[in-house]
Amino acid sequence: MSKIASVDALEILDSRGMPTLQVTLTTDEGVIATASVPSGASTGKKEACELRDHDPKRYGGKGVLQAVANVCGPLFQAVSGLCIFEQEAIDQRMIQLDGTKNKSRLGANAILGISLAAARAAAMTKKIPLYRYLGKEEPLLPCPMINVINGGRHADNSLEVQEFLFRTVGAPSFAEGLRWSAELFQILKGLLKERGEATSVGDEGGFAPNLASTEAACELLLLTREKAGFSSREVTLALDLAASEFYDEIARRYVGRKSKFSRTPQEQVAYLKNLVENYPIDSLEDGLAEGDWEGWRLCTKELGQRIQLIGDDLFVTHKAILQEGIREKVANAILIKPNQVGTLTETLECIHYAQENGYATVISHRSGETEDSFIADLAVATRAGQIKTGSVCRSERIAKYNRLLTIEKEIA
Ligand code: PGA
Ligand code: ZN
């Protein structure tokens, strides 16, 4: 009993109006579970392959009908009849059938949809919340990293840095941290209005003003924090530079696309060091490019004892790359995005490996999201400690925060 009886998929839209997959899985006992797959814009080169149709007549080539067909056809054939509680076996079968290193034959988006839906069906069959099913230890609510200013590829503004975030590190509970964040967000909005800046939002719900520089944005966040009445112990700043986006691999230089600068890796590290010295920044993500391991090593040597250095494009949720990073003393934290690797099993393995090796873990959304809140349960179940799922704005982001509020109440 509790076997996979059928799997279906639908081409739906993500928060950017781009097509993605929604997978529905039914067991022989009639349990029906659905999961949706997110999609990134600033993707790492080594991410598992998101299968797109490349049919210029549909969605500018971005359709996912082939991935839908793969779910309903070969992938269903592969997992049909498997016990819903055997997550590893389910994922392994799909990996084997795909047969490629990066899931490019059947699509990581297709595979992940089934993988997540299977876990949800299993939790539903056991009649327990998803976070209980996914976690063996006591659940732990994460500290949110709230992305209040968007730049880089996520906004058509002047800012090179992709994300400016608040971390409510001193909040006594998740709910309080979220309240602080929402209050900070409103105060920031007021300050932007006062300055005649746009208060329209970017892909992840943060504001997308045309500020003069990274430093100007940091100054504004400091002012926001002060106006909101929070101390440096309560609220800190974090940046995601997504530096792979502005790294010239041939020249081995960081070159501004929106603003004018050109830095060697050493200069980029010096620049980051300077930012950390001048602002209360305690977390930097992708401050160096994924291809610049030398820069990463230097950065870790210079800043790794002081602040959190998160590898996103650098590790792409791949345990093998993380292993290399640990060996090479690169970064001290990892961003976890299930769709970078393509199965729940591999995601969990990567999280556990990071934790065993003292690397901090941050569970993350993608810039293209759906209303699915799977990652909220994942963060709680794995005791990740941190979650990054956008601003306190836009329902696809809020869905995750609201889910965390519900979980916190449930386990209280
Ligand atoms: P992405 O951005 O989903 O566009 O990759 C998120 C991030 O870089 O953290
Ligand atoms: Zn990132």
Side-chain angles (χ1 to χ4, degrees):
M1 289 297 267
S2 304
K3 291 183 171 136
I4 297 175
S6 75
V7 179
D8 199 2
L10 183 66
E11 184 180 56
I12 62 164
L13 295 183
D14 72 13
S15 55
R16 276 199 282 244
M18 287 295 193
T20 188
L21 282 105
Q22 182 186 69
V23 172
T24 301
L25 183 149
T26 308
T27 71
D28 57 353
E29 293 168 320
V31 169
I32 303 170
T34 297
S36 301
V37 181
S39 171
S42 62
T43 47
K45 283 201 185 71
K46 293 185 177 164
E47 288 194 22
C49 172
E50 189 177 67
L51 193 64
R52 299 276 180 190
D53 296 337
H54 303 292
D55 170 1
K57 291 196 206 74
R58 301 186 71 256
Y59 292 115
K62 297 277 189 187
V64 292
L65 292 182
Q66 188 55 52
V68 166
N70 291 347
V71 168
C72 303
L75 288 168
F76 168 60
Q77 292 302 323
V79 300
S80 173
L82 290 186
C83 171
I84 199 68
F85 302 119
E86 309 245 315
Q87 185 74 42
E88 279 179 32
I90 294 167
D91 290 344
Q92 210 45 52
R93 276 279 179 95
M94 294 194 285
I95 291 168
Q96 265 165 14
L97 181 69
D98 175 82
T100 66
K101 257 188 142 166
N102 63 347
K103 304 183 177 67
S104 55
R105 194 170 81 82
L106 299 169
N109 42 356
I111 292 170
L112 183 69
I114 294 181
S115 185
L116 299 182
R120 196 168 259 148
M124 288 166 75
T125 302
K126 287 203 174 205
K127 296 190 170 60
I128 55 172
L130 183 57
Y131 63 87
R132 291 260 181 227
Y133 177 70
L134 294 177
K136 290 178 188 71
E137 294 169 60
E138 262 311 288
L140 176 74
L141 267 292
C143 173
M145 297 181 77
I146 308 274
N147 177 4
V148 291
I149 296 181
N150 294 185
R153 243 179 215 273
H154 293 169
D156 294 323
N157 60 0
S158 54
L159 292 168
E160 202 74 51
V161 170
Q162 183 177 281
E163 304 173 16
F164 295 81
L165 309 103
F166 278 127
R167 299 175 75 219
T168 52
V169 291
S173 65
F174 175 78
E176 279 294 275
L178 192 62
R179 177 176 70 82
W180 293 7
S181 302
E183 290 175 6
L184 285 158
F185 188 68
Q186 292 307 327
I187 288 169
L188 175 58
K189 187 174 186 175
L191 284 171
L192 287 168
K193 269 194 180 158
E194 266 174 30
R195 295 168 181 216
E197 283 292 343
T199 54
S200 49
V201 296
D203 289 346
E204 297 187 345
F207 298 115
N210 276 308
L211 299 174
S213 62
T214 300
E215 289 78 1
C218 289
E219 291 289 348
L220 188 60
L221 294 189
L222 276 186
L223 186 62
T224 303
R225 186 181 74 176
E226 193 184 307
K227 270 201 120 185
F230 295 112
S231 70
S232 54
R233 285 206 185 154
E234 290 171 318
V235 176
T236 58
L237 306 189
L239 304 181
D240 177 6
L241 287 95
S244 304
E245 298 293 327
F246 54 90
Y247 182 61
D248 181 335
E249 290 213 355
I250 295 160
R252 302 191 64 218
R253 292 187 82 91
Y254 293 85
V255 183
R257 291 172 312 152
K258 298 179 170 191
S259 46
K260 277 208 167 62
F261 63 82
S262 172
R263 303 180 194 122
T264 63
Q266 290 77 6
E267 285 165 351
Q268 177 71 1
V269 172
Y271 169 74
L272 294 173
K273 237 179 123 178
N274 198 46
L275 276 179
V276 169
E277 264 147 30
N278 289 322
Y279 299 99
I281 294 168
D282 63 357
S283 175
L284 286 178
E285 178 180 332
D286 283 356
L288 286 303
E290 62 186 290
D292 180 17
W293 278 59
E294 230 175 276
W296 262 107
R297 261 193 301 270
L298 178 65
C299 185
T300 310
K301 206 168 134 216
E302 297 281 333
L303 286 169
Q305 300 296 323
R306 267 165 77 177
I307 63 163
Q308 174 166 272
L309 298 171
I310 309 174
D312 170 14
D313 290 347
L314 179 72
F315 296 136
V316 289
T317 317
H318 279 53
K319 185 181 156 187
I321 306 177
L322 175 64
Q323 235 158 357
E324 175 100 21
I326 290 167
R327 226 184 0 252
E328 295 279 322
K329 295 198 170 55
V330 152
N332 56 26
I334 179 171
L335 203 74
I336 299 289
K337 295 165 163 170
N339 85 322
Q340 283 182 327
V341 64
T343 64
L344 178 59
T345 300
E346 290 163 290
T347 304
L348 291 170
E349 275 173 13
C350 189
I351 295 171
H352 295 144
Y353 189 74
Q355 291 174 338
E356 282 160 18
N357 286 279
Y359 272 48
T361 47
V362 184
I363 309 294
S364 170
H365 66 162
R366 298 309 302 252
S367 47
E369 266 295 333
T370 71
E371 56 277 29
D372 191 318
S373 60
F374 195 104
I375 57 165
D377 286 70
L378 181 66
V380 171
T382 56
R383 300 175 60 84
Q386 297 172 73
I387 192 166
K388 184 178 98 161
T389 182
S391 177
V392 278
C393 173
R394 295 184 64 136
S395 294
E396 77 279 3
R397 317 290 151 187
I398 298 293
K400 281 73 164 172
Y401 295 127
N402 284 345
R403 172 68 187 148
L404 288 165
L405 287 174
T406 306
I407 296 173
E408 185 166 64
K409 180 159 186 254
E410 246 172 53
I411 64 177

